[in-house]
Amino acid sequence: MIEIRDLTVRFPDRTIFEHASFTFPDKGVVLLSGESGIGKTTLLRVMAGLLKPQSGTVTGLEKRRLSFAFQEPRLLENMRAIDNVSIVSNSKTAEELLNRLNLQEERNKKSSELSGGQKQRVSLARAFAFSDDVVLLDEPFSGLDEKNRERVRDLILNVKLAVVVTHDPSDETFLHADRKINL
């Protein structure tokens, strides 16, 4: 089990969490939802160790391999799609994931030549290539059509633990969630 205890996160202009606690299972799909600015991305950043809170502890992730797909793709623009994915894995895994996300023809294009949805899928492929243990996904469906959403959902359902941020509680992923947390 992953536990976040007594979490306090403050920014100069506001407090996001004040002595909040959360638990996450070791396996399954957990959806984080809530209005914009409520702290969904902040919680993922704390879990990933990218943001140091004013107080609180995160336990249960110490020996787990964790990957993170941000809201914006954060690709290396001068590298090909295949290289952006294989940089965290091997070329076979990268090819498989790009194929599963319908990016076969784009694999040799530089990231700067891809559309927004293609960049999003390359970024997601990289996250899944790095780890199938714990995958943190911040708005993974933004910019994707329904077919590509289905492809991403299939990948989400095949990792040990996926923590998914969404603003859309009507998203079909909610049907597959093992746990829903509304912040």
Side-chain angles (χ1 to χ4, degrees):
M1 180 182 314
I2 299 163
E3 291 184 280
I4 300 172
R5 289 191 178 174
D6 197 32
L7 179 66
T8 297
V9 177
R10 289 187 200 101
F11 294 111
D13 59 334
R14 66 190 169 124
T15 298
I16 304 295
F17 295 109
E18 186 76 39
H19 303 292
S21 294
F22 303 93
T23 59
F24 296 86
D26 285 326
K27 295 179 182 178
V29 177
V30 177
L31 291 179
L32 298 177
S33 64
E35 61 188 57
S36 293
I38 199 76
K40 300 177 299 292
T41 298
T42 299
L43 187 57
L44 290 186
R45 291 180 66 218
V46 168
M47 291 176 74
L50 299 174
L51 177 66
K52 184 171 174 25
Q54 280 71 27
S55 72
T57 59
V58 178
T59 58
L61 289 171
E62 300 82 9
K63 295 182 180 178
R64 299 193 65 179
R65 190 169 168 102
L66 182 140
S67 67
F68 196 134
F70 298 90
Q71 284 183 30
E72 58 285 331
R74 297 188 183 188
L75 299 175
L76 300 166
E77 292 292 317
N78 289 325
M79 290 179 70
R80 299 175 309 154
I82 187 74
D83 298 327
N84 266 283
V85 179
S86 61
I87 199 167
V88 300
S89 186
N90 58 59
S91 58
K92 181 182 178 203
T93 299
E95 286 281 345
E96 287 174 9
L97 285 163
L98 291 175
N99 289 344
R100 288 185 70 182
L101 291 173
N102 197 31
L103 290 164
Q104 307 87 304
E105 294 180 21
E106 290 80 13
R107 73 175 168 267
N108 289 315
K109 288 184 179 179
K110 287 185 177 183
S111 298
S112 58
E113 300 170 340
L114 301 175
S115 72
Q118 291 168 337
K119 288 180 181 182
Q120 179 73 359
R121 286 182 283 148
V122 171
S123 176
L124 291 165
R126 183 175 55 196
F128 288 109
F130 184 74
S131 176
D132 68 351
D133 192 9
V134 179
V135 182
L136 306 178
L137 303 166
D138 197 355
E139 293 291 341
F141 304 112
S142 62
L144 301 182
D145 60 31
E146 189 51 42
K147 275 287 198 198
N148 285 311
R149 285 173 177 243
E150 287 176 27
R151 291 178 176 105
V152 172
R153 274 193 288 276
D154 288 344
L155 290 173
I156 289 171
L157 294 174
N158 286 300
V159 298
K160 289 181 187 155
L161 175 63
V163 181
V164 182
V165 165
T166 183
H167 283 104
D168 185 4
S170 67
D171 191 294
E172 190 178 307
T173 308
F174 269 81
L175 299 175
H176 303 291
D178 298 296
R179 180 148 183 234
K180 300 167 190 163
I181 299 173
N182 189 23
L183 299 180

